[in-house]
Structure formats: C-alpha cells, structure tokens
Amino acid sequence: MSAEHPQLPPGVEVITTLPEAAARIPAGSEARTVRVTLPPGDPGAPPHRHPGPLFGYVTQGEILFELEGEPPRVLKAGDAVFEPGGDVIHIQGANNLPDAQSQLVVTMFAPPGTPVLTVVSAEELAERRHLRVTRP
C-alpha cells in the first residue's frame, strides 16, 4: 500500500503525479492514447512538435529522449515522461537499444482534428539551436 495513497488496493501504484499538467491542456481537447513501437536502433520520428501535452510511460526497452530546453536522457521501461506540447520541439525519441524493440505508450490531449505530430523544418530547428541543451 502506498503511503501517499493509502486507499489504493494491493498491486495499484501511482508512478508519477504532475499537478501542473492540467493547466496546459487546451480547452475542448480530446484525449488520445498512442503507442510508439521502435525496432532495434530506430532513430524515431524527426524533430517535431505536438498540438498539446502528453503524458506517457515506457513499457519496454529504452528511449533516448530529448526535448527542447532539456538535456537528452535515457528513459527505461517503467519511467514516466511528460511533454508540454505546443511550441516546444521534441528533438528525438530514439530506441536506445541496438538489439531490442522499445515501446512507449502516451496519452495526448489535443484539439480534435489536429495531427498527432508536425515535423519541424531544418530551418526552424537551426533558428532554435540556442534552445537545445547538450549533455555536460
């Protein structure tokens, strides 16, 4: 039983809570659950942005995750991730494993009819290079 959530039955565990996330959900949004499956060594989608925030969980493997304004990090199975969406660029979400599949399941909140992601042009990425954080 969780000390923070004593009412939960055995086997139910709250992994991550982000109270500030609700303020980022655009009015009138729909919730979309998306599964991303990456074959071994797959670089993932090119740099892109999402129309709204997403909250996810790595279900398998390892994802090399880089979001504009944050240093790259490796998310392993069991790790949760939050992405604010909107203007923030998702620089990479690659499979960090050369010999195994990795998978991530996210719930995205976005206005109906908007694309799940929009690829960023090379020119825009270059213009925003100063917002990228490299590893120390």
Side-chain angles (χ1 to χ4, degrees):
M1 194 174 317
S2 170
E4 292 180 23
H5 302 277
Q7 73 282 10
L8 294 176
V12 177
E13 176 184 8
V14 174
I15 306 274
T16 302
T17 301
L18 293 170
E20 71 280 6
R24 296 179 181 260
I25 298 173
S29 288
E30 63 185 11
R32 304 171 182 169
T33 301
V34 179
R35 180 177 33 229
V36 179
T37 303
L38 300 167
D42 192 299
H48 59 275
R49 58 176 46 96
H50 299 287
L54 61 86
F55 190 64
Y57 185 78
V58 178
T59 57
Q60 181 181 15
E62 296 181 1
I63 308 287
L64 177 58
F65 182 81
E66 184 180 359
L67 192 61
E68 187 176 63
E70 298 178 6
R73 65 189 192 271
V74 175
L75 302 171
K76 297 182 178 188
D79 289 343
V81 63
F82 174 75
E83 191 171 329
D87 190 47
V88 178
I89 297 174
H90 180 156
I91 297 170
Q92 68 177 326
N95 185 344
N96 198 48
L97 301 175
D99 57 354
Q101 173 177 288
S102 291
Q103 190 172 83
L104 171 73
V105 174
V106 300
T107 298
M108 173 186 298
F109 299 92
T114 57
V116 169
L117 63 84
T118 302
V119 174
V120 175
S121 71
E123 294 80 20
E124 182 181 4
L125 199 57
E127 288 170 8
R128 295 172 67 120
R129 186 177 312 128
H130 68 284
L131 298 172
R132 196 166 184 183
V133 177
T134 57
R135 291 184 190 196

